[in-house]
Amino acid sequence: GSLTVKDKAGNITFYADTETGRVTINAESISITGKSVEDISNGIVDDFVTNIYKNDMMRLKSLFGIR
């Protein structure tokens, strides 16, 4: 089966097909557990830079004598 949600103009804003697993969302914004997709992705990038990339950069700076 499937679930289709339409706006007042009849445009499909949400579609989920339970047989194929396909989900289509056409929206101005999306919130997941109270956070926007942008907030979630920014958190992932910040975590990467702070916890992984930073250590690699420190090693490279030390190796090349950069402050």
Side-chain angles (χ1 to χ4, degrees):
S2 65
L3 171 67
T4 302
V5 178
K6 297 180 180 183
D7 64 14
K8 292 179 184 177
N11 300 310
I12 296 174
T13 57
F14 181 87
Y15 174 81
D17 187 318
T18 59
E19 292 180 24
T20 64
R22 177 178 165 219
V23 176
T24 303
I25 301 171
N26 182 13
E28 288 292 316
S29 65
I30 299 172
S31 176
I32 302 171
T33 63
K35 294 184 179 182
S36 70
V37 173
E38 181 179 4
D39 289 341
I40 293 169
S41 62
N42 285 341
I44 292 168
V45 169
D46 289 344
D47 182 60
F48 174 79
V49 169
T50 301
N51 296 314
I52 297 171
Y53 185 68
K54 182 179 178 180
N55 293 333
D56 291 340
M57 287 304 298
M58 289 173 65
R59 279 190 222 109
L60 287 172
K61 285 180 179 181
S62 175
L63 180 64
F64 292 105
I66 301 170
R67 291 182 175 223

